[in-house]
Amino acid sequence: KKMSLALKTFIGFGLGILIGLIFQEKATVLKPLGTIFLNMIKMIVVPLVFCSITAGVASLGDLRKLRSIGVKVVGLYALTSAISVVLGFLVANITNPGEGFDMSALAEGSQYEAQAMPSVLDTIVDAFPSNVFQSFVNTNMLQIIVFSIFLGVALIMMEEQGKRLSSAIQSFSDVMSKITAIVMEFSPIGVCA
């Protein structure tokens, strides 16, 4: 009981490897526990993100604060993206991944057609949902985030009238945090399985 959840999860990870090595195919009897854990994680993601972002935006109470935070978030996102691209290029140039690998064996065995990268404009257009319920069902996180921001802004603009729904969403966000804590308590078993 005194162990941290992270330590318990690492122990579960180690036990999972050990059980797999010892029992091999027979260890698949534990697979349903792992599947249940993954399903629980998937279960909480969409409502947790939706409620947290909507409640967070609505709690600002002033659109000027939101604008200031938005500019900082976009700037920070651009900066971290640029840093990750530079680091990626540096690591790739230093390590030369794939150097000396014979690609002819791959070319004979499979026919893979690379998908075209969506343009920046397409990505921006796709961020705005045409059907928010479909976004929730398909777990399209970018569209859910955009809708959550719009809902939070609308609640700010509604002032007193929006406070009831804002309070309800904040309560639901608190409930989702509790559900997340419950699911994470299961993580050592789920990771092991």
Side-chain angles (χ1 to χ4, degrees), residues 107-162:
E108 294 169 6
S110 64
Q111 295 294 324
Y112 174 74
E113 186 133 352
Q115 301 263 335
M117 277 286 288
S119 69
V120 173
L121 185 59
D122 288 341
T123 304
I124 292 170
V125 169
D126 288 342
F128 292 86
S130 59
N131 181 341
V132 71
F133 298 106
Q134 189 174 11
S135 302
F136 277 74
V137 169
N138 295 335
T139 319
N140 188 323
M141 294 310 293
L142 188 56
Q143 291 182 355
I144 292 168
I145 290 168
V146 167
F147 176 73
S148 300
I149 292 169
F150 270 102
L151 182 58
V153 168
L155 290 172
I156 291 172
M157 293 171 79
M158 290 177 68
E159 296 174 354
E160 285 301 315
Q161 192 179 3

Side-chain angles (χ1 to χ4, degrees), residues 56-77:
V57 170
S59 71
L60 292 174
D62 185 6
L63 292 177
R64 286 176 292 207
K65 289 180 189 174
L66 181 63
R67 189 179 315 128
S68 171
I69 290 171
V71 168
K72 290 175 186 171
V73 166
V74 170
L76 189 60
Y77 177 73

Side-chain angles (χ1 to χ4, degrees), residues 27-40:
T28 57
V29 75
L30 297 176
K31 187 178 181 198
L33 293 174
T35 304
I36 289 169
F37 176 65
L38 290 176
N39 286 346
M40 288 192 305

Side-chain angles (χ1 to χ4, degrees), residues 73-118:
V73 166
V74 170
L76 189 60
Y77 177 73
L79 178 67
T80 55
S81 295
I83 290 170
S84 65
V85 167
V86 169
L87 283 174
F89 278 130
L90 286 174
V91 170
N93 284 324
I94 292 169
T95 62
N96 295 320
E99 186 177 319
F101 184 75
D102 182 20
M103 297 293 281
S104 61
L106 287 178
E108 294 169 6
S110 64
Q111 295 294 324
Y112 174 74
E113 186 133 352
Q115 301 263 335
M117 277 286 288

